[in-house]
Amino acid sequence: MTGGYIKKNLFEENLDNISDLEIKRIYFLQEEIKKHSHKYYNLANPDISDEQYDELFRELKLLEAKYPDITKDDSPTQKVGAPLTGRLKKIAHNLPMLSLDNVFNEQELIKFISSICTKISIEQVDFICEPKIDGLALSLVYENRKLSYALTRGDGVIGEDITHNALMIKSIPKELPEEPDIPDYLEIRGEAFFYKDDFIKMNTQEGMKFSNARNAAAGTLRILDSNYLSNRPLSFIAYSVYGKNEGYYSTQEATLKNLLKANFVIQDNIKKIKSSDECQNFYEYLLNKRNDLPYEIDGLVIKVNEKKYQTSLGETTHSPRWAVAYKFPANKVNTVLENVSFQIGRTGVLTPVAQLKPVNIDGATVSNASLHNRDEIKRLGLRIGDNVEVCRSGDVIPKVLRVIYDKRPLDTKDIIEPTHCLSCNTKLVISQEQGSNYYCPAGIICPAQKLHSLIHFCSRNAMNIVGLGEQLIIKLYNIGKLNSFVDIFKLEQKDFLELPNIKDKLSNKLVSAIDLSRNVTLDKFIFSLGIIGVGEVASKNLAEYFKSFERIKIATYEELLQVVDIGDITAKSIYSFLNSQDKEHKINLDELVNYLKIENPSSSVDTQNEYVNGKNIVITGTLDRPRDFYSKALIKNGANMTSTISSKVDMLIIGREPGSKLMKAQKLGLQIVSEDILKKWLKID
């Protein structure tokens, strides 16, 4: 039984006259779930997790099945959603918006699929599997191809009219294309949500306190003034269609294809399966991939493909019998925040790190977690000694999710931020360029920043000095052999032999690796310098635009802004780095170039290709030829290559399984081109 985390309330105490404990539990669960449903659906502010809610709901279903005579009509198992609030106009759904039943393990999955085959007397049934987006369900009604109105799920029978806000969501078409097979009346259902990056950006810019993207979506859609949505970039993915022309959605497979034709965004990770084994394999694939997706998912939705079988199977008052949600297990744990330490990195930013009581998450022992910045500490309301909920973001980086306030000890302590750099004792400051973070303005003269810059310079994606890793660099730095980029190329075999456990063979290899790195492409060299805001893509764009390091060094701020993906802050950062008033920095930079042979990009560019010349292009998906092959060919035909979808991009080239970039490109209305068309443009066989 569940309920250990629920305190006994007055309602529970008033059940003392009922002798049967299980019946008493049914009444308690019915009221408790109603309360949590109201907080989840109407207030967008749940105080228990999805897993806890599912556990309560599941327990109630099992008990009501055992005592069907006492199941009330207003039980949560007989309803969908929650009672409606009074703020928004109410409209009845043409068809009820039902919730999905859940399965939680492979045995329950097998039982579900077997029961479907048994009920329709077929040995094997086709299913469509789709990721379950953790957002807010919407119904969009189109009449004569124009969006007539948009509703939330509400209580499943009546929804809230949020048409004014739906019109502000870019991925919701306001008018459907003039396709001959699109019915005059069409109802589209799908999920409104925030992409992870959009949610983080919105929470930071607005100073919001939403605990997760789902709550933010629910709260945003219920805002009465749609002007607020201009700063809240909601998105919409469609997954089902209802209309008067049943042939338009005869299968779920056909539904998804027709949604694309009607200019809706659908999910990438969709799979047709015929067995529980195939479904389980896809579930495990998604479970491993979930943190790499651009939006939050909390499980897998499994639907019977054929509409005629869906109709035959029917539905209960709560759920369709032909679909189920296979929920992911929770990957969050509770532990204690024992302390917070602070680090100064390559860019000088002061980063807080949570020191946790060691805890196991998904097979890994976690004792530290990133807190990102000082705003995150304030947002979470952290204090030393707090009980906290922790997860592993992307199954790699541990993250503190929230403080468990009802378990806060009486002796917690404030987190004290340093006022001076922990490395050079320079007074920490806040600037617009660094957001609201404290950072050390000493730059390269700060020992911590200098050391991290040296580590970055030698790394694989920069100068790629094989064998000269972080630990060796720290040792050379500590004995005074390594103080600048130039010092790397002055290192001799004897310098390495001064270090413990370094013998002749290894020292020779290290000297050879340094010599090999002297031949470097311009983009790799720019990236290795560690200029704040200049990553690998920006480095390539700078190299392609200016053609030589000498030309970049004399570039004006205005010229730097002309480069794709270079904005105001990055342009200022580049200009400041290359025109520093620090004499030692300037001397080292000038001298460094003399130790290297920097290969400039080819200047043989064909500017006659009308399709791609002057266009900013992104490539995504699996292609017949290596992506680098096409990138080089496009550059030779006058294109500018970038890896990030933004308003500066003109075109997206897609291969197989294009992923989230396709969705973002569709949102922005970019030109989308297949590999076959690209081959024709570039005259590639």
Side-chain angles (χ1 to χ4, degrees):
M1 291 292 180
T2 64
Y5 47 82
I6 298 175
K7 294 180 180 179
K8 189 173 182 181
N9 58 22
L10 290 175
F11 181 86
E12 189 177 25
E13 290 172 355
N14 288 334
L15 299 177
D16 290 344
N17 60 332
I18 300 177
S19 58
D20 192 304
L21 292 178
E22 288 190 321
I23 294 176
K24 185 183 295 187
R25 182 67 178 165
I26 288 174
Y27 289 138
F28 170 72
L29 287 171
Q30 287 173 344
E31 295 303 314
E32 193 70 10
I33 291 171
K34 286 177 189 176
K35 179 186 74 175
H36 290 303
S37 293
H38 174 69
K39 289 185 177 181
Y40 182 85
Y41 288 105
N42 293 336
L43 303 182
N45 187 31
D47 55 14
I48 63 172
S49 69
D50 287 356
E51 293 79 19
Q52 290 171 319
Y53 182 93
D54 288 341
E55 191 178 1
L56 290 174
F57 199 95
R58 195 178 189 203
E59 182 190 356
L60 178 59
K61 281 189 68 177
L62 290 171
L63 287 171
E64 286 185 343
K66 190 174 180 179
Y67 300 95
D69 292 338
I70 66 165
T71 300
K72 298 186 294 184
D73 289 340
D74 66 345
S75 170
T77 61
Q78 308 303 308
K79 300 287 184 180
V80 180
L84 297 165
T85 63
R87 297 168 61 245
L88 295 164
K89 180 182 176 182
K90 311 299 184 292
I91 298 178
H93 292 295
N94 293 306
L95 290 169
M97 284 190 77
L98 304 177
S99 291
L100 293 174
D101 267 342
N102 297 323
V103 297
F104 295 90
N105 54 53
E106 189 172 3
Q107 289 71 35
E108 291 179 356
L109 170 68
I110 293 170
K111 183 179 178 181
F112 167 74
I113 289 180
S114 297
S115 70
I116 295 293
C117 296
T118 301
K119 286 172 183 174
I120 58 178
S121 302
I122 291 182
E123 187 173 329
Q124 193 175 68
V125 179
D126 289 342
F127 295 86
I128 298 296
C129 297
E130 307 166 27
K132 185 177 180 296
I133 299 176
D134 193 13
L136 192 78
L138 291 187
S139 170
L140 311 175
V141 175
Y142 289 83
E143 295 175 302
N144 298 318
R145 291 186 169 81
K146 292 184 178 179
L147 179 62
S148 181
Y149 57 89
L151 303 177
T152 64
R153 185 194 303 276
D155 64 3
V157 177
I158 298 173
E160 296 165 305
D161 183 358
I162 47 86
T163 311
H164 60 300
N165 288 334
L167 290 168
M168 299 290 288
I169 300 174
K170 292 181 180 178
S171 46
I172 292 180
K174 313 308 175 281
E175 190 169 349
L176 302 182
E178 292 289 334
E179 292 282 342
D181 56 347
I182 293 182
D184 291 335
Y185 175 88
L186 208 59
E187 183 176 351
I188 309 294
R189 291 183 177 177
E191 207 81 4
F193 64 98
F194 284 105
Y195 284 96
K196 291 175 183 176
D197 288 346
D198 289 340
F199 172 67
I200 292 168
K201 184 178 179 182
M202 182 193 76
N203 249 12
T204 302
Q205 289 182 346
E206 287 194 19
M208 301 299 294
K209 300 299 181 185
F210 287 115
S211 60
N212 58 60
R214 193 269 167 199
N215 291 354
T220 297
L221 278 168
R222 292 188 175 93
I223 292 174
L224 297 178
D225 186 353
S226 59
N227 290 323
Y228 282 100
L229 267 73
S230 59
N231 293 321
R232 296 191 183 187
L234 272 171
S235 297
F236 180 82
I237 281 182
Y239 52 66
S240 64
V241 175
Y242 301 92
K244 295 177 180 176
N245 179 6
E246 290 193 1
Y248 192 74
Y249 53 94
S250 58
T251 65
Q252 178 63 12
E253 206 171 17
T255 291
L256 295 171
K257 289 178 181 177
N258 285 322
L259 283 168
L260 275 177
K261 287 182 184 177
N263 292 336
F264 286 93
V265 178
I266 66 170
Q267 299 195 72
D268 295 304
N269 296 283
I270 295 171
K271 189 172 182 63
K272 187 176 182 179
I273 61 103
K274 294 178 180 291
S275 68
S276 56
D277 284 345
E278 288 181 12
C279 187
Q280 183 65 26
N281 289 339
F282 187 59
Y283 169 85
E284 290 171 4
Y285 164 79
L286 269 185
L287 184 59
N288 291 327
K289 189 183 175 68
R290 68 184 293 195
N291 291 306
D292 297 326
L293 295 177
Y295 44 78
E296 298 288 349
I297 64 172
D298 59 359
L300 177 68
V301 176
I302 306 157
K303 303 175 183 176
V304 172
N305 187 32
E306 294 280 344
K307 177 69 177 179
K308 63 182 180 181
Y309 295 147
Q310 293 181 12
T311 303
S312 173
L313 289 161
E315 61 220 15
T316 68
T317 56
H318 184 270
S319 307
R321 294 190 177 94
W322 45 266
V324 75
Y326 191 179
K327 298 295 286 291
F328 289 149
N331 57 355
K332 298 172 281 190
V333 299
N334 298 343
T335 187
V336 176
L337 177 69
E338 295 184 329
N339 203 354
V340 173
S341 61
F342 292 86
Q343 299 175 350
I344 297 288
R346 176 173 60 85
T347 63
V349 173
L350 182 76
T351 303
V353 178
Q355 296 179 349
L356 306 167
K357 181 179 180 180
V359 63
N360 186 286
I361 307 179
D362 297 333
T365 300
V366 171
S367 57
N368 294 298
S370 172
L371 292 172
H372 304 295
N373 52 47
R374 61 200 303 261
D375 281 349
E376 182 74 353
I377 293 175
K378 291 180 180 178
R379 185 185 72 80
L380 292 168
L382 282 176
R383 292 175 61 84
I384 305 296
D386 268 331
N387 286 281
V388 294
E389 186 177 70
V390 182
C391 74
R392 289 175 65 203
S393 178
D395 290 330
V396 178
I397 305 168
K399 178 182 179 182
V400 176
L401 295 175
R402 67 183 181 96
V403 174
I404 305 171
Y405 286 106
D406 58 357
K407 292 185 179 180
R408 170 170 277 174
L410 296 175
D411 58 348
T412 59
K413 299 176 183 178
D414 289 334
I415 297 169
I416 308 299
E417 293 179 291
T419 57
H420 290 71
C421 176
L422 304 171
S423 179
C424 67
N425 205 38
T426 301
K427 184 175 176 59
L428 299 175
V429 297
I430 295 178
S431 76
Q432 184 180 357
E433 286 78 7
Q434 297 293 351
S436 62
N437 295 323
Y438 276 119
Y439 85 106
C440 171
I444 202 70
I445 66 172
C446 170
Q449 294 180 63
K450 182 182 292 185
L451 178 59
H452 284 288
S453 294
L454 289 167
I455 293 168
H456 171 79
F457 184 85
C458 299
S459 63
R460 184 178 63 180
N461 293 336
M463 295 298 290
N464 192 26
I465 304 179
V466 179
L468 193 54
E470 181 175 341
Q471 295 306 313
L472 270 181
I473 292 170
I474 291 171
K475 290 174 182 177
L476 290 165
Y477 181 84
N478 288 338
I479 65 172
K481 295 291 182 181
L482 200 55
N483 197 50
S484 69
F485 298 149
V486 171
D487 288 343
I488 293 168
F489 299 98
K490 294 179 179 178
L491 289 170
E492 298 176 2
Q493 186 177 3
K494 63 178 183 179
D495 298 316
F496 290 109
L497 292 172
E498 291 184 28
L499 301 175
N501 302 320
I502 300 291
K503 305 299 181 184
D504 287 346
K505 187 175 181 179
L506 179 55
S507 61
N508 274 326
K509 283 186 177 180
L510 289 166
V511 171
S512 296
I514 291 171
D515 285 337
L516 282 173
S517 73
R518 296 175 194 269
N519 294 314
V520 62
T521 59
L522 178 57
D523 61 310
K524 292 285 187 183
F525 174 66
I526 296 168
F527 177 67
S528 71
L529 295 175
I531 305 170
I532 295 174
V534 180
E536 293 182 78
V537 173
S539 298
K540 287 180 180 178
N541 292 337
L542 285 164
E544 289 160 9
Y545 188 89
F546 290 106
K547 310 301 181 189
S548 73
F549 186 62
E550 290 73 20
R551 182 68 188 85
I552 297 173
K553 281 178 66 177
I554 62 173
T556 64
Y557 162 76
E558 288 75 18
E559 288 176 311
L560 291 166
L561 282 176
Q562 300 307 309
V563 181
V564 66
D565 281 354
I566 302 296
D568 174 62
I569 292 175
T570 304
K572 287 178 180 176
S573 175
I574 298 167
Y575 188 83
S576 297
F577 183 90
L578 298 174
N579 295 275
S580 172
Q581 298 304 305
D582 183 78
K583 290 183 179 180
E584 183 181 351
H585 174 73
K586 292 186 71 174
I587 291 170
N588 283 329
L589 197 58
D590 291 338
E591 189 179 353
L592 177 62
V593 178
N594 296 328
Y595 283 89
L596 306 173
K597 182 181 178 182
I598 302 173
E599 300 171 13
N600 295 337
S602 171
S603 59
S604 57
V605 173
D606 177 9
T607 59
Q608 302 305 308
N609 192 316
E610 62 179 317
Y611 301 108
V612 301
N613 180 47
K615 300 287 181 67
N616 299 326
I617 296 176
V618 175
I619 300 177
T620 190
T622 304
L623 304 164
D624 293 339
R625 300 202 186 195
R627 191 174 299 182
D628 191 51
F629 169 84
Y630 287 116
S631 293
K632 289 177 180 176
L634 285 163
I635 290 167
K636 286 185 178 180
N637 282 272
N640 301 309
M641 302 307 298
T642 180
S643 65
T644 306
I645 296 293
S646 72
S647 57
K648 288 185 178 181
V649 172
D650 302 297
M651 183 188 303
L652 175 68
I653 309 294
I654 60 169
R656 298 180 295 280
E657 300 179 2
S660 62
K661 288 180 180 176
L662 175 58
M663 296 182 201
K664 292 183 179 179
Q666 289 171 328
K667 280 203 304 179
L668 293 170
L670 306 184
Q671 183 180 6
I672 297 170
V673 175
S674 69
E675 184 180 10
D676 289 338
I677 293 175
L678 179 63
K679 287 178 180 178
K680 291 179 182 179
W681 288 354
L682 299 179
K683 298 178 180 178
I684 295 170
D685 295 330

